[in-house]
Coordinates of all heavy atoms in Angstrom, one line a residue:
M768 N -5.6 65.2 7.6 CA -5.3 66.3 8.5 C -3.9 66.0 9.2 O -3.7 65.0 9.7 CB -6.3 66.6 9.5 CG -6.0 67.7 10.3 SD -7.1 68.6 11.4 CE -8.4 67.6 11.9
T769 N -3.0 67.0 9.1 CA -1.7 66.8 9.7 C -1.7 67.6 11.1 O -2.1 68.7 11.2 CB -0.6 67.4 8.8 OG1 -0.7 66.8 7.6 CG2 0.8 67.2 9.4
R770 N -1.2 66.9 12.1 CA -1.2 67.5 13.4 C 0.3 67.6 13.8 O 1.1 66.7 13.7 CB -1.9 66.6 14.4 CG -2.0 67.1 15.8 CD -2.8 66.3 16.7 NE -2.6 66.7 18.0 CZ -3.0 66.0 19.1 NH1 -3.6 64.9 18.9 NH2 -2.8 66.5 20.3
V771 N 0.7 68.8 14.3 CA 2.0 69.1 14.8 C 2.0 69.2 16.3 O 1.3 70.0 16.9 CB 2.6 70.4 14.2 CG1 4.0 70.6 14.7 CG2 2.6 70.3 12.7
D772 N 2.7 68.3 17.0 CA 2.8 68.3 18.4 C 4.0 69.0 18.9 O 5.1 68.9 18.3 CB 2.8 66.9 19.0 CG 1.5 66.1 18.8 OD1 0.5 66.8 18.9 OD2 1.5 64.9 18.6
T773 N 3.9 69.8 19.9 CA 5.0 70.5 20.5 C 5.6 69.6 21.6 O 4.9 68.7 22.1 CB 4.6 71.8 21.2 OG1 3.6 71.5 22.2 CG2 4.0 72.8 20.2
P774 N 6.9 69.7 21.9 CA 7.5 68.8 22.8 C 7.0 68.9 24.3 O 7.2 68.0 25.0 CB 9.0 69.3 22.8 CG 9.0 70.6 22.2 CD 7.8 70.7 21.4
G775 N 6.3 69.9 24.6 CA 5.7 70.1 25.9 C 4.7 71.1 26.0 O 4.4 71.8 25.0
P776 N 4.2 71.4 27.1 CA 3.2 72.5 27.2 C 3.8 73.8 26.9 O 5.0 74.1 27.1 CB 2.7 72.4 28.7 CG 3.8 71.7 29.4 CD 4.4 70.8 28.4
E777 N 3.0 74.7 26.3 CA 3.5 76.0 25.9 C 2.9 77.1 26.8 O 1.7 77.1 27.0 CB 3.1 76.2 24.4 CG 3.9 77.3 23.8 CD 3.6 77.4 22.3 OE1 4.2 76.6 21.6 OE2 2.7 78.1 21.9
K778 N 3.7 78.0 27.3 CA 3.2 79.1 28.1 C 3.8 80.4 27.6 O 4.9 80.4 27.0 CB 3.6 78.9 29.6 CG 3.0 77.7 30.2 CD 3.2 77.7 31.7 CE 2.7 76.5 32.3 NZ 1.3 76.4 32.5
I779 N 3.1 81.4 27.8 CA 3.5 82.7 27.4 C 3.7 83.6 28.6 O 2.8 83.8 29.4 CB 2.6 83.4 26.4 CG1 2.5 82.6 25.1 CG2 3.1 84.9 26.1 CD1 1.5 83.1 24.1
I780 N 5.0 84.0 28.9 CA 5.3 84.8 30.0 C 5.8 86.1 29.5 O 6.8 86.2 28.9 CB 6.4 84.1 30.9 CG1 6.0 82.7 31.3 CG2 6.8 84.9 32.1 CD1 7.0 81.9 32.0
G781 N 5.0 87.1 29.8 CA 5.3 88.5 29.2 C 5.2 88.4 27.7 O 4.2 88.0 27.1
N782 N 6.3 88.7 27.0 CA 6.3 88.5 25.5 C 7.1 87.3 25.1 O 7.4 87.2 23.9 CB 6.9 89.8 24.9 CG 6.0 91.0 25.1 OD1 4.8 90.9 25.2 ND2 6.6 92.2 25.2
V783 N 7.5 86.5 26.0 CA 8.3 85.3 25.7 C 7.5 84.0 25.7 O 6.7 83.8 26.7 CB 9.5 85.2 26.7 CG1 10.3 84.0 26.4 CG2 10.3 86.5 26.8
R784 N 7.6 83.2 24.7 CA 6.9 82.0 24.6 C 7.9 80.9 25.2 O 9.0 80.7 24.7 CB 6.6 81.6 23.2 CG 5.9 80.3 23.1 CD 5.4 80.1 21.7 NE 4.3 81.1 21.4 CZ 3.7 81.3 20.3 NH1 4.1 80.6 19.2 NH2 2.8 82.2 20.1
V785 N 7.4 80.1 26.2 CA 8.3 79.1 26.8 C 7.6 77.8 26.5 O 6.5 77.5 26.7 CB 8.3 79.3 28.3 CG1 9.1 78.2 29.0 CG2 8.8 80.6 28.7
T786 N 8.4 76.8 25.9 CA 8.0 75.5 25.6 C 8.7 74.5 26.5 O 9.8 74.8 26.9 CB 8.2 75.1 24.1 OG1 9.5 75.2 23.8 CG2 7.4 76.1 23.2
G787 N 8.1 73.4 26.7 CA 8.7 72.4 27.5 C 8.2 72.4 28.9 O 7.3 73.1 29.3
P788 N 8.7 71.5 29.8 CA 8.2 71.4 31.1 C 8.5 72.7 31.9 O 9.7 73.2 31.9 CB 9.0 70.2 31.7 CG 10.2 70.1 30.9 CD 9.8 70.6 29.5
Y789 N 7.5 73.3 32.4 CA 7.7 74.6 33.2 C 7.0 74.4 34.5 O 5.8 74.1 34.6 CB 7.0 75.7 32.4 CG 7.0 77.0 33.1 CD1 8.2 77.7 33.4 CD2 5.8 77.5 33.6 CE1 8.2 78.9 34.1 CE2 5.8 78.7 34.4 CZ 7.0 79.4 34.6 OH 7.0 80.5 35.3
E790 N 7.8 74.5 35.6 CA 7.3 74.3 36.9 C 7.5 75.7 37.7 O 8.6 75.9 38.1 CB 8.0 73.2 37.6 CG 7.8 71.8 37.0 CD 6.4 71.3 37.3 OE1 5.8 71.7 38.2 OE2 6.0 70.5 36.5
P791 N 6.6 76.5 37.7 CA 6.8 77.8 38.4 C 7.0 77.7 39.9 O 7.7 78.6 40.5 CB 5.5 78.6 38.1 CG 4.5 77.6 37.9 CD 5.2 76.4 37.3
G792 N 6.6 76.7 40.5 CA 6.7 76.6 42.0 C 8.1 76.1 42.4 O 8.5 76.4 43.5
V793 N 8.9 75.5 41.6 CA 10.2 74.9 42.0 C 11.2 76.1 42.3 O 11.8 76.0 43.3 CB 10.7 74.0 40.8 CG1 12.1 73.6 41.2 CG2 9.8 72.8 40.7
G794 N 11.2 77.1 41.4 CA 12.1 78.2 41.6 C 11.8 78.9 42.9 O 12.7 79.3 43.7
N795 N 10.5 79.1 43.1 CA 10.1 79.8 44.4 C 10.4 79.0 45.6 O 10.8 79.5 46.6 CB 8.6 80.1 44.3 CG 8.2 81.1 43.3 OD1 9.0 81.9 42.8 ND2 7.0 81.0 42.8
M796 N 10.3 77.7 45.5 CA 10.6 76.8 46.6 C 12.1 76.9 47.0 O 12.4 76.9 48.2 CB 10.2 75.4 46.3 CG 10.3 74.5 47.5 SD 9.0 74.9 48.6 CE 8.7 73.3 49.3
I797 N 12.9 76.9 46.0 CA 14.4 77.0 46.2 C 14.7 78.3 46.9 O 15.5 78.4 47.8 CB 15.2 76.8 44.9 CG1 15.0 75.3 44.4 CG2 16.6 77.1 45.1 CD1 15.5 75.1 43.1
V798 N 14.1 79.4 46.4 CA 14.4 80.7 47.0 C 13.9 80.7 48.5 O 14.7 81.2 49.4 CB 13.7 81.8 46.2 CG1 13.7 83.2 47.0 CG2 14.3 82.0 44.9
V799 N 12.8 80.2 48.8 CA 12.3 80.1 50.2 C 13.2 79.3 51.0 O 13.5 79.7 52.2 CB 10.8 79.6 50.2 CG1 10.4 79.2 51.6 CG2 9.9 80.6 49.6
L800 N 13.7 78.2 50.5 CA 14.6 77.3 51.2 C 15.9 78.0 51.5 O 16.4 78.0 52.7 CB 14.9 76.0 50.4 CG 15.8 75.0 51.1 CD1 15.2 74.4 52.3 CD2 16.2 73.9 50.1
L801 N 16.5 78.7 50.5 CA 17.7 79.4 50.7 C 17.6 80.6 51.7 O 18.4 80.8 52.5 CB 18.3 79.9 49.4 CG 18.8 78.8 48.5 CD1 19.2 79.5 47.1 CD2 20.0 78.1 49.1
L802 N 16.4 81.3 51.7 CA 16.2 82.3 52.6 C 16.1 81.8 54.0 O 16.5 82.4 55.0 CB 14.9 83.1 52.2 CG 15.0 84.1 51.1 CD1 13.7 84.7 50.7 CD2 16.0 85.2 51.4
G803 N 15.4 80.6 54.2 CA 15.3 80.0 55.5 C 16.7 79.6 56.0 O 17.0 79.8 57.2
V804 N 17.6 79.1 55.2 CA 18.9 78.7 55.6 C 19.7 80.0 56.0 O 20.4 80.0 57.1 CB 19.7 78.0 54.5 CG1 21.2 77.9 54.8 CG2 19.1 76.6 54.3
L805 N 19.5 81.1 55.3 CA 20.2 82.3 55.6 C 19.7 82.9 56.9 O 20.5 83.4 57.7 CB 19.9 83.4 54.5 CG 20.6 84.7 54.6 CD1 22.1 84.6 54.6 CD2 20.1 85.7 53.5
V806 N 18.4 82.8 57.2 CA 17.9 83.3 58.5 C 18.4 82.5 59.6 O 18.8 83.0 60.7 CB 16.3 83.2 58.5 CG1 15.7 83.4 59.8 CG2 15.8 84.3 57.5
L807 N 18.5 81.1 59.4 CA 19.1 80.3 60.5 C 20.6 80.6 60.7 O 21.0 80.7 61.9 CB 19.0 78.8 60.1 CG 17.6 78.3 60.2 CD1 17.5 76.8 59.7 CD2 17.0 78.3 61.7
L808 N 21.3 80.9 59.7 CA 22.7 81.3 59.8 C 22.9 82.6 60.6 O 23.7 82.7 61.5 CB 23.4 81.3 58.5 CG 23.7 80.0 57.8 CD1 24.2 80.3 56.3 CD2 24.7 79.2 58.5
I809 N 22.1 83.6 60.2 CA 22.2 84.9 60.8 C 21.8 84.8 62.3 O 22.4 85.3 63.2 CB 21.4 85.9 60.1 CG1 22.1 86.2 58.7 CG2 21.3 87.2 60.9 CD1 21.2 87.0 57.8
G810 N 20.7 84.0 62.5 CA 20.3 83.8 63.9 C 21.3 83.1 64.8 O 21.5 83.5 65.9
G811 N 21.9 82.1 64.2 CA 23.0 81.4 64.9 C 24.2 82.3 65.3 O 24.7 82.2 66.4
C812 N 24.6 83.1 64.3 CA 25.7 84.0 64.6 C 25.3 85.1 65.6 O 26.1 85.4 66.5 CB 26.1 84.7 63.3 SG 26.8 83.7 62.1
A813 N 24.1 85.5 65.6 CA 23.6 86.5 66.6 C 23.6 85.8 68.0 O 24.0 86.5 69.0 CB 22.2 87.0 66.2
C814 N 23.2 84.6 68.1 CA 23.2 83.9 69.3 C 24.6 83.6 69.9 O 24.9 83.7 71.1 CB 22.5 82.5 69.2 SG 20.7 82.7 69.2
V815 N 25.6 83.4 69.0 CA 27.0 83.3 69.4 C 27.5 84.6 70.0 O 28.1 84.5 71.1 CB 27.9 82.9 68.2 CG1 29.4 83.0 68.6 CG2 27.6 81.4 67.7
V816 N 27.2 85.7 69.4 CA 27.6 87.0 70.0 C 26.9 87.2 71.3 O 27.5 87.7 72.3 CB 27.3 88.1 68.9 CG1 27.5 89.5 69.6 CG2 28.2 87.9 67.7
W817 N 25.6 87.0 71.3 CA 24.8 87.2 72.5 C 25.3 86.3 73.7 O 25.4 86.7 74.8 CB 23.3 87.0 72.2 CG 22.4 87.5 73.3 CD1 22.7 88.3 74.3 CD2 21.0 87.3 73.3 NE1 21.5 88.6 75.0 CE2 20.5 88.0 74.4 CE3 20.1 86.6 72.5 CZ2 19.1 88.0 74.8 CZ3 18.8 86.6 72.9 CH2 18.3 87.3 73.9
A818 N 25.6 85.1 73.4 CA 26.0 84.1 74.4 C 27.4 84.6 75.0 O 27.7 84.4 76.2 CB 26.1 82.7 73.8
E819 N 28.3 85.1 74.1 CA 29.6 85.6 74.6 C 29.4 86.8 75.6 O 30.2 87.0 76.4 CB 30.4 86.1 73.4 CG 31.0 85.0 72.6 CD 32.1 84.2 73.4 OE1 32.9 84.9 74.1 OE2 32.1 83.0 73.3
R820 N 28.3 87.5 75.4 CA 28.0 88.6 76.3 C 27.2 88.3 77.5 O 26.6 89.1 78.2 CB 27.4 89.8 75.5 CG 28.3 90.3 74.5 CD 27.7 91.4 73.7 NE 28.6 91.9 72.7 CZ 28.5 93.1 72.2 NH1 27.6 93.9 72.6 NH2 29.4 93.5 71.3
G821 N 27.0 87.0 77.7 CA 26.2 86.5 78.9 C 24.7 86.4 78.6 O 23.9 86.8 79.5
G822 N 24.3 86.0 77.5 CA 22.9 85.9 77.1 C 22.2 84.8 77.9 O 22.8 84.1 78.7
P823 N 20.9 84.6 77.6 CA 20.1 83.6 78.3 C 20.6 82.2 77.9 O 21.3 82.0 77.0 CB 18.7 83.8 77.9 CG 18.8 84.6 76.6 CD 20.1 85.4 76.7
R824 N 20.1 81.2 78.7 CA 20.6 79.8 78.5 C 20.2 79.3 77.1 O 21.0 78.7 76.4 CB 19.9 78.9 79.5 CG 20.3 77.5 79.4 CD 19.8 76.7 80.6 NE 20.1 75.3 80.5 CZ 21.3 74.7 80.6 NH1 22.3 75.4 81.0 NH2 21.4 73.4 80.5
W825 N 19.0 79.6 76.5 CA 18.7 79.1 75.2 C 19.6 79.7 74.1 O 19.9 79.0 73.2 CB 17.2 79.4 74.9 CG 16.8 80.9 74.9 CD1 16.3 81.6 75.9 CD2 16.9 81.7 73.7 NE1 16.1 82.9 75.5 CE2 16.5 83.0 74.1 CE3 17.3 81.6 72.4 CZ2 16.4 84.1 73.3 CZ3 17.3 82.7 71.6 CH2 16.8 83.9 72.0
A826 N 20.1 81.0 74.3 CA 21.0 81.5 73.4 C 22.3 80.8 73.4 O 23.0 80.6 72.4 CB 21.2 83.0 73.6
R827 N 22.7 80.4 74.6 CA 24.0 79.7 74.8 C 23.9 78.3 74.1 O 24.9 77.8 73.5 CB 24.4 79.6 76.2 CG 24.8 80.9 76.8 CD 25.5 80.8 78.2 NE 24.6 80.2 79.2 CZ 23.9 80.9 80.1 NH1 24.0 82.2 80.0 NH2 23.1 80.3 80.9
V828 N 22.7 77.7 74.2 CA 22.5 76.4 73.6 C 22.6 76.5 72.1 O 23.3 75.7 71.4 CB 21.2 75.7 74.1 CG1 20.8 74.5 73.2 CG2 21.2 75.4 75.5
I829 N 21.9 77.5 71.5 CA 21.9 77.7 70.1 C 23.3 78.0 69.6 O 23.8 77.6 68.6 CB 20.9 78.7 69.7 CG1 19.5 78.2 69.9 CG2 21.1 79.1 68.2 CD1 18.4 79.2 69.7
A830 N 24.1 78.8 70.4 CA 25.4 79.2 70.1 C 26.3 77.9 70.0 O 27.2 77.8 69.2 CB 26.0 80.2 71.1
T831 N 26.1 77.0 71.0 CA 26.9 75.8 71.0 C 26.6 74.9 69.8 O 27.5 74.4 69.2 CB 26.6 75.0 72.3 OG1 26.9 75.8 73.5 CG2 27.4 73.7 72.4
V832 N 25.3 74.8 69.4 CA 24.9 74.1 68.2 C 25.6 74.7 67.0 O 26.1 74.0 66.1 CB 23.4 74.0 68.1 CG1 23.0 73.4 66.8 CG2 22.8 73.1 69.3
T833 N 25.5 76.0 66.9 CA 26.1 76.7 65.7 C 27.6 76.5 65.6 O 28.1 76.2 64.6 CB 25.8 78.2 65.8 OG1 24.3 78.4 65.9 CG2 26.3 79.0 64.6
L834 N 28.3 76.6 66.7 CA 29.7 76.5 66.7 C 30.1 75.0 66.4 O 31.1 74.8 65.7 CB 30.3 76.9 68.0 CG 30.3 78.4 68.3 CD1 30.7 78.8 69.7 CD2 31.1 79.2 67.2
T835 N 29.3 74.1 66.9 CA 29.6 72.6 66.7 C 29.4 72.3 65.2 O 30.2 71.6 64.6 CB 28.7 71.7 67.5 OG1 28.9 72.1 68.9 CG2 29.0 70.3 67.3
A836 N 28.3 72.9 64.6 CA 28.0 72.6 63.2 C 29.1 73.3 62.3 O 29.6 72.7 61.3 CB 26.7 73.2 62.8
S837 N 29.6 74.4 62.8 CA 30.7 75.1 62.0 C 32.0 74.3 62.1 O 32.6 74.1 61.0 CB 30.9 76.5 62.7 OG 32.1 77.0 62.2
E838 N 32.3 73.7 63.2 CA 33.5 72.9 63.3 C 33.4 71.6 62.5 O 34.3 71.2 61.9 CB 33.8 72.5 64.8 CG 34.3 73.6 65.6 CD 35.6 74.1 65.1 OE1 36.5 73.3 64.7 OE2 35.8 75.4 65.1
L839 N 32.2 71.0 62.5 CA 32.0 69.8 61.7 C 32.1 70.1 60.2 O 32.8 69.3 59.4 CB 30.6 69.2 61.9 CG 30.4 68.5 63.3 CD1 28.9 68.2 63.5 CD2 31.3 67.3 63.4
L840 N 31.6 71.2 59.7 CA 31.7 71.6 58.3 C 33.2 71.9 58.0 O 33.7 71.5 56.9 CB 30.8 72.8 58.0 CG 29.3 72.5 57.9 CD1 28.6 73.8 57.8 CD2 29.0 71.6 56.7
R841 N 33.8 72.6 58.9 CA 35.2 72.9 58.6 C 36.1 71.6 58.6 O 37.0 71.5 57.7 CB 35.8 73.8 59.7 CG 37.1 74.5 59.4 CD 37.5 75.4 60.5 NE 36.5 76.3 60.8 CZ 36.5 77.1 61.9 NH1 37.5 77.0 62.7 NH2 35.5 77.9 62.2
S842 N 35.9 70.7 59.5 CA 36.7 69.5 59.5 C 36.4 68.6 58.3 O 37.3 68.0 57.7 CB 36.5 68.7 60.8 OG 35.2 68.2 60.8
S843 N 35.1 68.6 57.8 CA 34.8 67.8 56.7 C 35.4 68.4 55.4 O 35.9 67.7 54.5 CB 33.3 67.6 56.5 OG 32.7 68.8 56.1
D844 N 35.5 69.7 55.4 CA 36.1 70.4 54.2 C 37.6 70.1 54.2 O 38.2 69.9 53.1 CB 35.9 71.9 54.3 CG 36.3 72.6 53.0 OD1 36.0 72.1 51.9 OD2 36.9 73.7 53.1
K845 N 38.3 70.1 55.4 CA 39.7 69.8 55.4 C 40.0 68.4 55.0 O 40.9 68.1 54.3 CB 40.2 70.0 56.9 CG 40.4 71.4 57.3 CD 40.9 71.5 58.7 CE 41.0 73.0 59.1 NZ 41.5 73.1 60.5
K846 N 39.1 67.4 55.4 CA 39.3 66.0 55.0 C 39.1 65.9 53.5 O 39.8 65.2 52.9 CB 38.3 65.1 55.7 CG 38.6 65.0 57.2 CD 37.6 64.1 57.9 CE 37.8 64.0 59.3 NZ 36.8 63.2 60.0
R847 N 38.1 66.6 53.0 CA 37.9 66.5 51.5 C 39.1 67.1 50.8 O 39.6 66.5 49.8 CB 36.6 67.3 51.2 CG 36.2 67.2 49.7 CD 35.0 68.0 49.4 NE 35.2 69.4 49.6 CZ 35.8 70.2 48.7 NH1 36.2 69.7 47.6 NH2 35.9 71.5 48.9
R848 N 39.6 68.2 51.2 CA 40.8 68.8 50.5 C 42.0 67.9 50.7 O 42.8 67.8 49.7 CB 41.1 70.2 51.1 CG 40.2 71.2 50.4 CD 40.8 72.6 50.7 NE 39.8 73.2 51.7 CZ 40.1 74.1 52.6 NH1 41.4 74.5 52.8 NH2 39.2 74.6 53.4
R849 N 42.2 67.3 51.8 CA 43.3 66.4 52.0 C 43.2 65.2 51.1 O 44.2 64.8 50.5 CB 43.3 65.9 53.5 CG 44.6 66.1 54.2 CD 44.7 65.6 55.6 NE 44.1 66.6 56.5 CZ 43.3 66.4 57.5 NH1 42.9 65.2 57.7 NH2 42.9 67.4 58.2
G850 N 42.0 64.7 50.9 CA 41.8 63.6 50.0 C 42.1 64.0 48.5 O 42.6 63.2 47.8
L851 N 41.7 65.2 48.2 CA 42.0 65.6 46.8 C 43.5 65.8 46.6 O 44.0 65.5 45.5 CB 41.3 66.9 46.5 CG 39.7 66.9 46.4 CD1 39.2 68.3 46.3 CD2 39.3 66.0 45.3
N852 N 44.2 66.3 47.6 CA 45.6 66.6 47.4 C 46.4 65.3 47.4 O 47.4 65.2 46.7 CB 46.1 67.5 48.6 CG 45.6 68.9 48.4 OD1 45.3 69.3 47.3 ND2 45.6 69.6 49.5
S853 N 46.0 64.3 48.2 CA 46.8 63.0 48.3 C 46.6 62.3 47.0 O 47.6 61.5 46.6 CB 46.3 62.1 49.4 OG 44.9 61.7 49.2
G854 N 45.6 62.5 46.2 CA 45.4 61.8 44.9 C 46.3 62.4 43.9 O 46.7 61.7 42.9
N855 N 46.8 63.6 44.0 CA 47.6 64.2 43.0 C 49.1 64.0 43.2 O 49.9 64.3 42.3 CB 47.4 65.8 43.0 CG 46.0 66.1 42.6 OD1 45.4 65.4 41.8 ND2 45.5 67.3 43.0
Q856 N 49.5 63.4 44.3 CA 50.9 63.2 44.6 C 51.6 62.1 43.8 O 52.7 62.2 43.4 CB 51.1 62.8 46.1 CG 50.8 64.0 47.0 CD 51.0 63.6 48.5 OE1 51.1 62.5 48.8 NE2 50.8 64.6 49.4
G857 N 50.8 61.1 43.4 CA 51.4 60.0 42.6 C 51.4 60.3 41.1 O 51.8 59.4 40.3
D858 N 51.0 61.5 40.6 CA 50.9 61.7 39.2 C 52.2 62.2 38.6 O 52.3 62.6 37.4 CB 49.9 62.8 38.9 CG 48.5 62.2 39.2 OD1 48.4 61.0 39.2 OD2 47.5 63.0 39.4
D859 N 53.3 62.3 39.4 CA 54.6 62.8 38.8 C 55.2 62.0 37.8 O 55.3 60.9 37.6 CB 55.6 63.0 40.0 CG 55.2 64.1 40.9 OD1 54.1 64.7 40.7 OD2 56.0 64.5 41.8

C-alpha cells in the first residue's frame, strides 16, 4: 500500500484548500495589537490637545509622556538617517 503524505495539515476555508502550517489566531492577534497601539496613539493626541486647554493633571501627565515618546522617536529617526547618509559619502 502506498501512502502519500501532505507537507502539513490541510484545511478548507470557503472553497479554498489551504495546506501547510495554518495558525488562525496569529493574524487576529496582530490586528488586536495594532488596534491597541492605534487607540493609545489617538488617546495620547487627545490628551495633548486637552492638556493645552487646561485639562486635569492626569491628562497633562499623559500629554507629557506622549510628547516625550514622540521626541525620542523623532531623534532616533534623525540619528538613523544621519548614519545612512554618512555611509554613502565615501563611495565617490
Side-chain angles (χ1 to χ4, degrees):
M768 178 165 30
T769 305
R770 182 175 169 192
V771 178
D772 290 327
T773 58
E777 193 173 279
K778 295 192 184 281
I779 298 176
I780 302 172
N782 292 331
V783 179
R784 179 175 293 175
V785 180
T786 59
Y789 175 69
E790 298 287 336
V793 173
N795 293 337
M796 188 69 151
I797 292 172
V798 169
V799 168
L800 180 68
L801 290 175
L802 284 174
V804 169
L805 183 64
V806 166
L807 288 174
L808 288 172
I809 292 171
C812 291
C814 284
V815 169
V816 171
W817 195 8
E819 284 291 320
R820 297 179 179 207
R824 181 171 174 79
W825 62 267
R827 290 192 298 264
V828 170
I829 293 174
T831 302
V832 169
T833 302
L834 292 173
T835 302
S837 169
E838 287 297 321
L839 288 172
L840 286 172
R841 192 178 312 166
S842 68
S843 70
D844 188 44
K845 285 181 183 177
K846 288 179 185 176
R847 185 182 62 83
R848 275 193 253 150
R849 234 182 272 138
L851 291 175
N852 289 339
S853 66
N855 292 336
Q856 290 177 353
D858 291 341
D859 290 6

